[in-house]
Amino acid sequence: MSTDTAHSADLLVIGWGLAGLVAAGEATAAGKRVIVVDQEPRTNLGGQAWWSFGGLLFIDSPEQRRFGIKDSFELARQDWFGTAGFDRDEDAWPRQWAEAYLQFAHQENRAWLREKGVGFFPVPGWAERGGYTAAGPGNSVPRFHITWGTGPGLVAPFQKALEQAEAAGRLRVLPRHRVAALTVDGGTVTGATGDVLAPSGAARGFASSRDVVGSFSVSATATIVSSGGIGGNHDLVRRNWPSRLGTPPQTMVTGVPAYVDGSMQQVSADAGARLINADRMWHYVEGIQNWDPVWPGHGIRILPGPSSVWLDATGKRLPVPLFPGFDTLGTLEYLRGTGYDHSWFILSQRIIEKEFTLSGSEQNPDLTEKNLPLLLRSRLGKGAAGPVQAFLDHGADFIVRDTLDELVAAMRQLPGGEALDGQRAREEVEARDREMANPFTKDAQIAMLRSARSYRGDKLVRTAAPHRILDPKAGPLIAVKLHVLTRKSLGGIETDLSARALAPGGQVVPGLYAAGEAAGFGGGGMHGYRSLEGTFLGGCLFSGRVAGRAAAAAL
């Protein structure tokens, strides 16, 4: 056991994900001395953001305007609040954070990132399409802007700023330092104490040991908690699972590294912070088991286009408007009512070539590596993109067959597949295909995918030309078994618009700030019940900037 170590700084940042990096950068730019601690080895600098697809929601961007998309603050606000469904007393600050974030996404975010050298893929994506009424949930227009370089490209300028401040002696990074408690003196948070963990050579994302070799303390005038959510801790996910989404799944795949454990939530509450909206969470229903996993139970999310037929575990087609890419939590709620933890996509080779993208920086080497020739081949060429083809070849959840009978028989052989009614599945696919004979239809999904192709971006890179799935020329046939994939916490530490943590009585907890997922991306839950997508990374950027600037100004 090593001896105890003591440190001091103007500002302590707990967690070096995107929100923590931004906050630290803002504080050092203001001339403050900063210490950043994290329980992982330094290989994990950038946290979850490094693994991300790099999607950001912008409003009325140049990319949108080039594609003829007419967006506005008013339309985005209508979509956000129709999606969020704020309905609690606890939503007072989250509502204000939502308003402030929308202004940021409309006026500053893109220009601020461009000044830092961050670029964007020229085709805006259309995530969370909704499918309800104009005032209901979902994006009315494409707003999802992919960072050129994906997550690593977004992390890069903030990591560079941290390293420059470190070299200049204004900032110190302490890896393998796990906070166990915030220190409080007379009601004011004055830093933190915790365990020094054994050095680890684990590569990025891989689980590291929790062997304790010492203890530490940091005294600071202000402390920012930016430690992420609970998605890597299935016990906490199930404990907070809301009854409105049915019972929690018995089996899930994990969309974040194991260190996303929610450990700072109770630590923050013990220091006087109020935790709100813990039952609001964001998990995907298009998860697949990673054939080449990094962390335990590693799952990947399919970012689907709108053409695949979605069946529940028994072979029943999902109802309107629960089509691929339309309403994540609405689909989760419906599927939890079926009594099964999985569902199915049935599609053609033609669909998978055009419509399947996998979430994550490592699953998109063309965008992550800024490789334009590879991008053109993978997005516009024949055949599935390389990472998708790897899942077709090796993935436990992928089945490829020439006929529907063969496909259904193979589906029934996978774990849980005995629940599938093969005749029902056949009837659903054949009924859908009959609707393709005319340019008009009563099938809402077919109408929506035809509508999607009226957007040039979808037609170019995202939506296959409408066709019969059973057309041999479009084959072979593909089935994908889908799992619930854990991802984001939409609740967290309640904060005011300066990112100051609030106590249960509404008063400020002096010296304590919160940012990123630990604060529900702002205020304790600025998304409400649902997200428009592209707002998790954006929420880290915004809340980290607010927290860093506010804490620095208060010192």
Side-chain angles (χ1 to χ4, degrees):
M1 180 76 69
S2 70
T3 58
D4 295 349
T5 54
H7 312 272
S8 64
D10 298 319
L11 176 66
L12 168 63
V13 177
I14 302 170
W16 58 30
L18 185 58
L21 291 180
V22 173
E26 294 293 331
T28 55
K32 306 305 178 184
R33 295 180 304 113
V34 177
I35 288 177
V36 178
V37 302
D38 197 282
Q39 64 182 341
E40 292 305 304
R42 188 156 177 155
T43 48
N44 286 279
L45 198 70
Q48 295 179 66
W50 191 94
W51 294 98
S52 75
F53 195 35
L56 293 165
L57 180 145
F58 297 147
I59 301 166
D60 192 27
S61 70
E63 290 81 10
Q64 288 176 300
R65 293 194 293 271
R66 288 190 202 106
F67 275 87
I69 299 166
K70 296 178 173 61
D71 201 4
S72 67
F73 176 84
E74 292 75 19
L75 182 61
R77 187 188 186 282
Q78 172 179 296
D79 288 347
W80 187 291
F81 279 80
T83 300
F86 295 122
D87 61 0
R88 299 173 176 175
D89 292 342
E90 293 89 344
D91 287 330
W93 285 111
R95 282 176 178 270
Q96 294 183 57
W97 270 88
E99 295 276 6
Y101 178 78
L102 285 164
Q103 293 287 355
F104 175 69
H106 183 221
Q107 297 175 349
E108 293 185 78
N109 194 0
R110 184 184 180 281
W112 180 58
L113 292 173
R114 291 292 296 145
E115 289 175 359
K116 297 180 180 297
V118 179
F120 304 98
F121 185 62
V123 184
W126 198 350
E128 287 296 293
R129 302 177 187 225
Y132 301 92
T133 63
N139 283 296
S140 298
V141 298
R143 295 192 178 102
F144 190 76
H145 296 69
I146 302 167
T147 302
W148 187 232
T150 65
L154 186 59
V155 167
F158 301 102
Q159 179 174 341
K160 181 180 179 181
L162 176 142
E163 291 169 347
Q164 289 174 339
E166 191 177 20
R170 299 192 305 274
L171 181 144
R172 186 173 183 187
V173 178
L174 300 177
R176 304 295 283 160
H177 282 57
R178 180 179 62 190
V179 172
L182 297 175
T183 54
V184 181
D185 185 1
T188 298
V189 173
T190 58
T193 61
D195 300 318
V196 179
L197 304 179
S200 171
R204 183 186 290 274
F206 282 85
S208 59
S209 79
R210 290 296 179 261
D211 296 334
V212 176
V213 296
S215 61
F216 76 94
S217 64
V218 178
S219 60
T221 307
T223 297
I224 298 175
V225 175
S226 53
S227 53
I230 67 172
N233 186 335
H234 286 197
D235 289 339
L236 266 183
V237 168
R238 291 190 179 95
R239 191 181 310 163
N240 291 312
W241 191 274
S243 59
R244 65 180 178 276
L245 294 180
T247 57
Q250 293 182 357
T251 60
M252 298 180 280
V253 292
T254 309
V256 293
Y259 58 71
V260 186
D261 57 13
S263 60
M264 280 302 299
Q265 288 196 352
Q266 189 58 50
V267 170
S268 300
D270 291 343
R274 183 190 187 197
L275 305 178
I276 61 174
N277 298 319
D279 65 320
R280 291 179 179 168
M281 51 185 69
W282 187 259
H283 306 304
Y284 292 108
V285 281
E286 311 99 335
I288 51 177
Q289 301 171 81
N290 194 348
W291 68 273
D292 187 20
V294 176
W295 51 80
H298 189 178
I300 299 293
R301 186 207 173 193
I302 298 169
L303 301 173
S307 298
S308 299
V309 170
W310 203 336
L311 306 178
D312 69 16
T314 70
K316 179 181 178 182
R317 193 171 171 193
L318 271 58
V320 177
L322 305 182
F323 313 131
F326 278 69
D327 180 1
T328 294
L329 285 202
T331 308
L332 176 60
E333 179 181 359
Y334 176 82
L335 289 174
R336 292 312 307 143
T338 67
Y340 297 93
D341 290 351
H342 70 278
S343 60
W344 299 96
F345 278 166
I346 292 182
L347 60 152
S348 66
Q349 176 71 21
R350 190 178 298 172
I351 291 172
I352 206 168
E353 290 180 2
K354 189 81 168 184
E355 298 193 4
F356 265 40
T357 298
L358 302 175
S359 184
S361 56
E362 82 285 12
Q363 299 296 331
N364 295 275
D366 51 352
L367 292 165
T368 301
E369 298 168 11
K370 305 181 182 181
N371 187 327
L372 187 57
L374 178 60
L375 184 143
L376 293 174
R377 290 197 305 272
S378 62
R379 310 288 163 167
L380 300 178
K382 289 288 292 180
V388 175
Q389 187 61 50
F391 273 90
L392 282 167
D393 294 339
H394 307 295
D397 297 313
F398 284 72
I399 300 169
V400 182
R401 295 291 188 274
D402 290 325
T403 70
L404 188 56
D405 285 342
E406 292 173 319
L407 191 76
V408 168
M411 292 164 69
R412 287 180 53 82
Q413 293 304 307
L414 289 187
E418 66 277 1
L420 183 71
D421 181 335
Q423 181 60 30
R424 178 64 182 266
R426 168 178 285 282
E427 290 172 355
E428 295 283 16
V429 175
E430 290 177 341
R432 179 263 186 205
D433 274 8
R434 291 189 190 101
E435 294 287 318
M436 303 305 298
N438 295 288
F440 42 85
T441 179
K442 72 176 182 180
D443 189 306
Q445 183 177 1
I446 294 173
M448 290 296 288
L449 72 91
R450 286 172 174 161
S451 173
R453 284 177 60 86
S454 67
Y455 166 47
R456 285 186 292 127
D458 264 1
K459 187 173 183 179
L460 180 66
V461 298
R462 203 69 181 99
T463 305
H467 63 277
R468 291 186 303 110
I469 287 177
L470 298 180
D471 183 350
K473 296 177 182 178
L477 296 172
I478 299 165
V480 186
K481 184 181 178 183
L482 306 172
H483 309 262
V484 175
L485 177 138
T486 63
R487 186 76 95 192
K488 297 297 182 185
S489 308
L490 299 188
I493 300 168
E494 185 178 29
T495 65
D496 65 12
L497 284 179
S498 294
R500 297 182 299 180
L502 302 177
Q507 67 273 26
V508 169
V509 179
L512 184 60
Y513 298 75
E517 194 174 354
F521 302 90
M526 72 173 187
H527 298 94
Y529 288 94
R530 285 180 166 99
S531 166
L532 289 177
E533 291 283 24
T535 57
F536 300 138
L537 292 173
C540 289
L541 292 169
F542 182 54
S543 62
R545 193 174 80 153
V546 169
R549 291 181 179 183
L555 297 179

